[in-house]
Each structure stands twice: as C-alpha cells, then as structure tokens.
Amino acid sequence: MANTLTLEIVTPDKMVLREEVEYVGAPGINGEFGVLPNHIPFLSALGIGGLYYKVNGKKYYVFVAGGFAEITPTKVSVLAEVAERAEDIDLERARRAQERAEQRIRQQQEKVEYAATQAALSRAIHRMRCRQYASGEGSLH
Ligand code: ATP
C-alpha cells in the first residue's frame, strides 16, 4: 500500500501546489480533519484557516478560505476560493486587513456587513497564524 498521497490545491486563478505528502490536516467547515494515505473517500466544505501537510515528517502550511476538499485513497484535491502558501503570505497586508476589520467592527455597522467583516478579520488572523506556524512559533497539532 502506498505511504504517500497526492495533495493538489487550486484556486479559480492559480495552481497553488501539487505534491506527494504523508499527511494532510485541513480546516473543514465543521472542524479540522486529517487524511492519511488510503483514506475512505469523502467530500468536505472548507472553512477559513490553516491547512498543513507533512513531507519527510516536516510540516508545511497553506492558508485556505472557502471551497471544497475531495478525498480519495490516493489524493486530496482542494478547490479553494483563496489559498496561499505560508511563505507567500504578506504579513503587513494581513495586519492592515486586521486593523481595518477591527475598526469596522468597533463602528458597529449593519448585520450583513458585520458578517463580512468578521470573515475578513478571520482571514487576516489565520494568515498571520500560518506564517507564525511556518516559522516554528507554535503549531497546528
Ligand atoms: P485584503 O483586504 O488585504 O485584500 P482579503 O482577506 O480581503 O485581504 P481575499 O479576498 O481573501 O483578501 O484575497 C484576495 C486576493 O489577495 C487573493 O488572491 C489572495 O490570495 C490575496 N491576498 C489577500 N491577502 C493576502 C496576504 N496577506 N498575503 C498574500 N496574498 C493575499
């Protein structure tokens, strides 16, 4: 039996990653899920958060927000609305996005806008966490 699986992450505008990996941990909409090779097939919607995968025991992080993951025994296909490898995350941009979102929340705007602002804040915070984890400060699991 194979001891790796193919991880493929695509967004509407780019192919983010295609790699042979040992494990994938992903932010499902109902919580984190983990996938080893030969997993039974399933489909999950994705939330906002850090996806990580292992190659030779080392963890790598990718920020994802929205979309789906399709799991088969040999492959994890992630079709994300937005995805960035940790090293491609612009930390300053995420900090500015966090500040803008927090300011809008303090101004207590309409409910619909409030939900969008909460999502923007969550994206900014998870982007910063992915960068922290990738540089060895704390980790997902
Ligand atoms: P911002 O307000 O800074 O645009 P956002 O959360 O609204 O942040 P998204 O709508 O999630 O941004 O993403 C829009 C595009 O910009 C996507 O291609 C995404 O990969 C990219 N992007 C957003 N923020 C960052 C970041 N901090 N570093 C790298 N790429 C980013």
Side-chain angles (χ1 to χ4, degrees):
M1 271 202 295
N3 54 5
T4 61
L5 71 168
T6 307
L7 170 63
E8 190 174 277
I9 304 177
V10 297
T11 68
D13 47 288
K14 61 179 190 273
M15 161 75 86
V16 178
L17 181 109
R18 188 185 160 92
E19 232 172 291
E20 290 303 304
V21 307
E22 291 143 14
Y23 180 84
V24 179
I29 201 139
N30 295 316
E32 285 277 328
F33 62 86
V35 183
L36 286 163
N38 310 305
H39 202 290
I40 51 161
F42 75 99
L43 191 66
S44 174
L46 294 174
I48 297 172
L51 174 152
Y52 74 96
Y53 60 94
K54 286 189 191 172
V55 178
N56 295 325
K58 186 175 177 345
K59 282 184 186 175
Y60 298 86
Y61 297 88
V62 181
F63 168 78
V64 294
F68 290 89
E70 183 187 24
I71 287 81
T72 71
T74 58
K75 190 171 180 187
V76 175
S77 302
V78 174
L79 309 165
E81 286 166 27
V82 177
E84 296 126 34
R85 288 167 180 258
E87 61 268 31
D88 295 329
I89 293 171
D90 179 339
L91 212 47
E92 262 317 298
R93 178 172 169 178
R95 285 204 187 101
R96 288 197 301 273
Q98 179 186 21
E99 275 171 26
R100 279 197 306 278
E102 285 176 345
Q103 183 153 12
R104 284 203 299 272
I105 286 167
R106 281 196 296 273
Q107 287 164 354
Q108 291 186 336
Q109 289 166 350
E110 304 225 334
K111 266 202 178 144
V112 176
E113 201 173 317
Y114 187 82
T117 305
Q118 284 289 352
L121 179 59
S122 180
R123 287 196 298 277
I125 288 169
H126 284 287
R127 280 185 171 112
M128 293 188 289
R129 281 193 193 152
C130 273
R131 279 292 301 265
Q132 282 168 3
Y133 297 150
S135 58
E137 301 164 40
S139 94
L140 282 165
H141 305 289

